[in-house]
Amino acid sequence: MASKRQSLGNAKLAKLDEFYTQLSDIEKEIRHYKKHFKGKVVYLNCDDPRASQFFHYFSYNFERLDLKKLIATCYKSQDMDLFSSRDSERAIYLEYTGDKDGDRIPGRNEIEVKHFNGDGDFRSQESITLLKEADIVVTNPPFSLFREYVAQLMEYNKKFLIIGNMNAVTYKEIWPYIQQNRIWLGVTRTGTGQMWFRIKDDAPVKQGQRVHDGDRYQTVGHSAWFTNLDHSKRHEELTLYRTHDPDAYLPYDNYNGIEVGKAVNIPVDWDGVMGVPITFLGKYNPDQFEIVGIAKAPLGEPSKIYPKQTQVSANGVRSTVTKLNDGPALKVETPPTDKTYYEVDGEYYVQLYARVLIRHKRVTA
């Protein structure tokens, strides 16, 4: 556990994981799940209550959502003036059970501040005790610890609504849950656009940052909501209008299936396996489609393995690699002139990013 704690400490020290979700993004997403929160204990276990808009949202909407209790923990809280404590080395957690004085505002005297003996790490036994009490976990966990964070939620069989990098669907620890329909994407952020997070003033300067009204923000372009709470969008049927054309839908050379570059281009009359970009999961309706697998090593088992290849970059640089085995490959008659391709025994291939392998779920009488 010491090494795990050190990894979290290092991330915090380096300001790598301190991304604060904007209230507008929280409001847009959570409004789709109101029915799930009635009478529930909500746990925010990766939130600094001084800066967390998650705590702000749930405390101010406590009665509207008809919550039972709100718990928020903080990893080694600092500068806790708001809660009348100046002990910068002790982690705290907050408990709020609703408005007591009738002003509909969560006041200081209504928020109970408690101290941890430890550091507030979500993996500590103290935090796990609170996790066991919770019904639904909602937060923006450290991206660098996403695998471990999700594993804990699944171990304790918790309902959740969390933010992560869309590429997490291709992690070997996450993909099986996606395929088994035990985790799916949320409504408003499904990895197809930018999501801006507020960052601290002393965060490292890097690309994808801006300043607005004196606050610094960092964009994470492939952010997505991950959840196991059902929502109506997940059951909307994707309207399809294209029919299969063998010249337009090329078969993979190393996986069973045809390439479909965009979800909107899924052929309505094809009963075989199709490969679609991972962003398809934002449109995935389990009543309409079946997830067969994924075309990405080592998660999906290819039908063939290529020997070492010659990679030819878009600017003509040649090198010997094995990258063609990383994902789905298409055989082409002539090499493209504007992107990287591969040569194997005098034949030409292009490689695609990971593809979700699906097929239609036909309803039979």
Side-chain angles (χ1 to χ4, degrees):
M1 181 63 76
S3 62
K4 293 180 179 179
R5 294 288 169 75
Q6 189 65 36
S7 68
L8 180 57
N10 287 343
K12 289 291 183 182
L13 183 64
K15 312 295 183 185
L16 295 178
D17 276 330
E18 295 186 87
F19 294 90
Y20 299 100
T21 311
Q22 295 186 77
L23 183 60
S24 58
D25 286 322
I26 296 170
E27 291 173 332
K28 289 175 185 176
E29 182 69 21
I30 293 180
R31 67 186 181 88
H32 297 279
Y33 306 87
K34 184 179 178 181
K35 66 180 182 180
H36 293 287
F37 287 99
K38 184 177 181 179
K40 297 299 194 294
V41 176
V42 173
Y43 186 30
L44 319 174
N45 64 345
C46 289
D47 289 86
D48 180 344
R50 294 169 297 111
S52 169
Q53 295 292 357
F54 283 105
F55 184 79
H56 178 93
Y57 176 85
F58 281 107
S59 60
Y60 275 83
N61 289 278
F62 191 95
E63 282 73 27
R64 187 179 68 84
L65 293 172
D66 198 12
L67 300 180
K68 179 180 180 181
K69 182 190 284 190
L70 175 63
I71 306 172
T73 65
C74 182
Y75 177 85
K76 278 198 175 181
S77 307
Q78 298 182 8
D79 190 24
M80 292 302 301
D81 290 345
L82 177 60
F83 302 107
S84 303
S85 172
R86 298 179 181 276
D87 185 354
S88 64
E89 290 303 316
R90 296 190 67 187
I92 60 141
Y93 66 97
L94 312 182
E95 290 189 351
Y96 180 63
T97 54
D99 181 50
K100 302 296 189 298
D101 57 16
D103 64 358
R104 311 286 288 187
I105 296 174
R108 293 186 183 185
N109 62 330
E110 297 169 328
I111 301 172
E112 189 173 2
V113 182
K114 299 183 178 182
H115 285 89
F116 283 120
N117 292 319
D119 58 13
D121 188 310
F122 70 86
R123 298 158 295 189
S124 69
Q125 191 55 55
E126 290 178 300
S127 294
I128 290 174
T129 297
L130 295 175
L131 177 66
K132 291 178 179 178
E133 180 185 352
D135 297 303
I136 305 175
V137 179
V138 186
T139 194
N140 175 15
F143 280 15
S144 65
L145 298 175
F146 191 79
R147 296 171 173 86
E148 192 170 355
Y149 186 82
V150 170
Q152 184 189 78
L153 293 176
M154 303 305 286
E155 177 184 355
Y156 290 96
N157 195 30
K158 292 301 172 181
K159 296 294 184 181
F160 58 87
L161 180 61
I162 61 176
I163 296 174
N165 192 303
M166 180 65 178
N167 290 326
V169 303
T170 65
Y171 297 168
K172 64 182 177 63
E173 300 88 350
I174 305 297
W175 171 253
Y177 297 130
I178 298 289
Q179 184 171 0
Q180 295 162 15
N181 282 316
R182 297 177 64 190
I183 295 178
W184 47 86
L185 298 189
V187 177
T188 61
R189 294 290 184 177
T190 53
T192 56
Q194 290 180 327
M195 192 171 183
W196 290 90
F197 299 89
R198 188 176 64 79
I199 56 176
K200 290 191 173 182
D201 292 339
D202 58 350
V205 176
K206 57 190 296 187
Q207 286 187 333
Q209 293 183 0
R210 70 183 183 189
V211 177
H212 180 69
D213 290 339
D215 290 324
R216 291 179 61 195
Y217 292 87
Q218 174 75 52
T219 184
V220 180
H222 299 290
S223 297
W225 290 94
F226 292 79
T227 188
N228 56 1
L229 298 172
D230 206 8
H231 53 78
S232 60
K233 183 179 178 182
R234 187 166 173 257
H235 300 282
E236 292 178 357
E237 185 165 328
L238 182 63
T239 301
L240 305 173
Y241 60 93
R242 292 186 180 273
T243 56
H244 179 254
D245 178 350
D247 293 327
Y249 296 95
L250 299 179
Y252 299 123
D253 188 64
N254 57 343
Y255 283 91
N256 173 34
I258 60 173
E259 163 66 3
V260 180
K262 297 180 180 179
V264 70
N265 292 335
I266 293 174
V268 69
D269 59 342
W270 178 256
D271 289 328
V273 177
M274 301 167 282
V276 290
I278 62 173
T279 51
F280 161 83
L281 294 171
K283 302 178 177 67
Y284 170 56
N285 176 349
D287 306 317
Q288 186 178 11
F289 298 100
E290 173 191 359
I291 295 178
V292 177
I294 189 169
K296 177 178 171 59
L299 295 174
E301 189 170 338
S303 58
K304 66 186 293 186
I305 299 296
Y306 301 98
K308 286 187 177 181
Q309 315 101 43
T310 299
Q311 176 183 283
V312 184
S313 68
N315 58 7
V317 176
R318 302 173 69 89
S319 55
T320 301
V321 299
T322 59
K323 292 181 180 180
L324 198 55
N325 292 310
D326 292 348
L330 295 175
K331 183 186 291 187
V332 294
E333 292 296 325
T334 57
T337 58
D338 58 345
K339 61 182 178 181
T340 298
Y341 66 93
Y342 300 83
E343 293 181 1
V344 182
D345 296 331
E347 297 182 309
Y348 306 112
Y349 302 84
V350 294
Q351 187 189 61
L352 306 171
Y353 186 64
R355 292 293 192 257
V356 178
L357 300 176
I358 65 169
R359 61 179 161 224
H360 289 283
K361 184 179 285 186
R362 305 296 188 188
V363 177
T364 57

